[in-house]
Amino acid sequence: MGGLQVAVTTNGVAPRVAQRLLKEIVGKLPSDLESQLSEVARLNATAAAVERERQSVVAKLESAVDAGSPGLSTAVTAAHTPAPESVAEDELADLGSLRSGATTSVDVQAAAAYAAHALSDLCFVYAAPEQALGAAALAWSRRAEKNAFGEWVSALRMQTRAGAGHALWGALASGARVAAIASAESLPHMAPVLTELVDRRQALVVHASAESMDASGLAQTDHADVLAALQTGAVLLASASPQEAHDVAVIAHAVAAAASVPVVHIASAATDPEPVRTASHKQMAAFVASVVTTYSRRAVAEIIDAAFTEFRSAFGRTYSRFEYSGSSSAETVFVALGQPAADAVESLPALLREDARVGVLSVRALRPWGPEQLVAGLPASVRRVVLLRCARDAATADAL
């Protein structure tokens, strides 16, 4: 930038007074004024670049809408997306309590949404307006709540139909950290886009709710739709309880960033709120940075294992691709994913009191599949392996 110029004029009436004023003004200027002005210029340039990037992302989204892209809603806005009418804002999880790192009572959806909001710049919500899914992330966006990196997060509600997921392209192309919160029925529509993102090694996290509605309108865990992501090549991680949803969501973002691949986090159906020990924004940012810095050049499976190990060191909770519970001399082992596994583990104490030689192998990572790790997780005494399905039809359930 050019030097600062100061001029004083009295319209020729008192030139000596003008000179004296000029000397007084220059004498009062700080000695480091030039460096201060340079910093102001740098900040202005940075702000202008951020604004151009934001306008570019918005323009891409708007052009996709104008072109009639089937995956976009014609009413997409970042700051004015209405919350589902079925959920009042005072019923949503308190972000301040979550960020404190203390124990907070939340459900599965809020636990996953907290990680999605904290670790992304753009969050796409693929769910019907009457669904509570994604309501917290949309509300936090409207209130201009910042993420773990000190930046504002835009949450966009998208339509769930054929072609869903095309908006992710433009967002990822801008270099933004991108997350999606998706209903189960949206995953089959998003599968083609996820396949392309896998091929192009794009870091994306999709928090998918594995639920369907029964005849009475109650949410039930159902893996039929979410397992459509199995054929895309994306990493698939599963959780059941609110605490697991929070933890696995954070791990999913670290794996996606380190491996540069899409990760689908399969969460269980909506649950009642439970006490959850959350990570603060600072802790989450530090965890992700540590995994990326240390393991980004390794194979995807190694990064997943390393992320589990790093999480245990940072937060004291243990996860692995396959987790065994039960008798050390079990002859029958039940293998299950997500909520069915959690239900089976819950029933173990009663069975073990009756000297039943049984166990449960919970599948935490469905892809990449680790057959050696599965076998290593089974007791040497096992004679029968029973698969617990949780899907509407046997064809989909057989994927596990």
Side-chain angles (χ1 to χ4, degrees):
M1 61 178 291
L4 176 67
Q5 296 184 356
V6 179
V8 178
T9 178
T10 57
N11 290 328
V13 175
R16 291 185 179 180
V17 174
Q19 289 294 325
R20 182 175 178 180
L21 290 173
L22 178 60
K23 290 181 180 180
E24 288 290 332
I25 293 173
V26 172
K28 298 295 183 181
L29 294 176
S31 59
D32 62 342
L33 178 62
E34 184 175 355
S35 62
Q36 291 184 29
L37 292 175
S38 297
E39 179 65 12
V40 170
R42 186 189 68 80
L43 292 174
N44 285 337
T46 301
V50 171
E51 177 60 18
R52 286 195 300 272
E53 181 177 325
R54 186 193 69 79
Q55 292 178 357
S56 174
V57 173
V58 172
K60 288 176 181 178
L61 293 175
E62 289 178 343
S63 63
V65 172
D66 293 338
S69 172
L72 292 173
S73 165
T74 56
V76 168
T77 58
H80 303 290
T81 307
E85 296 179 2
S86 59
V87 182
E89 289 212 16
D90 58 2
E91 297 177 3
L92 299 174
D94 178 60
L95 186 58
S97 298
L98 293 169
R99 283 189 299 220
S100 69
T103 300
T104 306
S105 185
V106 294
D107 61 15
V108 164
Q109 294 175 354
Y114 169 56
H117 179 273
L119 297 172
S120 67
D121 305 315
L122 282 169
C123 183
F124 295 88
V125 177
Y126 293 90
E130 63 271 12
Q131 291 179 294
L133 189 66
L138 292 167
W140 296 333
S141 174
R142 283 196 302 275
R143 297 203 295 261
E145 299 283 3
K146 293 184 178 181
N147 60 19
F149 311 102
E151 300 169 358
W152 284 285
V153 181
S154 291
L156 311 171
R157 180 179 291 286
M158 317 301 287
Q159 287 189 356
T160 301
R161 55 185 179 183
H166 287 319
L168 300 172
W169 275 111
L172 290 167
S174 73
R177 305 178 189 89
V178 182
I181 298 174
S183 61
E185 59 268 22
S186 69
L187 260 294
H189 299 307
M190 297 174 69
V193 173
L194 285 175
T195 301
E196 293 183 39
L197 294 176
V198 169
D199 292 339
R200 296 178 182 270
R201 300 299 296 265
Q202 294 290 318
L204 166 73
V205 179
V206 179
H207 301 280
S209 177
E211 70 176 29
S212 62
M213 297 296 176
D214 61 17
S216 61
L218 295 176
Q220 302 290 334
T221 297
D222 187 342
H223 292 145
D225 287 327
V226 294
L227 287 181
L230 189 64
Q231 307 305 320
T232 67
V235 172
L236 266 66
L237 304 178
S239 66
S241 67
Q243 184 68 68
E244 288 185 4
H246 166 275
D247 295 349
V248 175
V250 175
I251 292 169
H253 281 271
V255 171
S260 295
V261 294
V263 177
V264 177
H265 165 214
I266 302 174
S268 67
T271 62
D272 292 331
E274 296 179 10
V276 172
R277 183 61 183 266
T278 59
S280 67
H281 275 186
K282 183 178 180 180
Q283 288 174 317
M284 282 195 283
F287 171 72
V288 172
S290 175
V291 174
V292 171
T293 302
T294 310
Y295 305 104
S296 60
R297 295 184 180 275
R298 302 193 183 183
V300 175
E302 292 181 34
I303 292 174
I304 294 172
D305 292 335
F308 286 142
T309 301
E310 288 284 325
F311 192 89
R312 181 177 65 246
S313 299
F315 302 103
R317 293 184 289 277
T318 301
Y319 296 98
S320 59
R321 285 197 271 174
F322 298 94
E323 300 162 9
Y324 179 77
S325 303
S327 170
S328 59
S329 58
E331 294 185 352
T332 301
V333 172
F334 297 92
V335 179
L337 175 78
Q339 190 61 51
D343 293 341
V345 170
E346 189 175 353
S347 67
L348 276 176
L351 294 173
L352 295 176
R353 282 196 297 270
E354 299 175 359
D355 295 327
R357 300 178 68 180
V358 299
V360 176
L361 190 68
S362 302
V363 179
R364 182 73 59 196
L366 188 57
R367 180 178 290 278
W369 184 249
E372 296 85 2
Q373 288 81 2
L374 183 148
V375 173
L378 297 172
S381 55
V382 67
R383 300 177 60 187
R384 291 176 296 276
V385 173
V386 181
L387 173 63
L388 298 180
R389 296 171 172 172
C390 187
R392 294 189 302 269
D393 56 87
T396 306
D398 286 342
L400 177 58

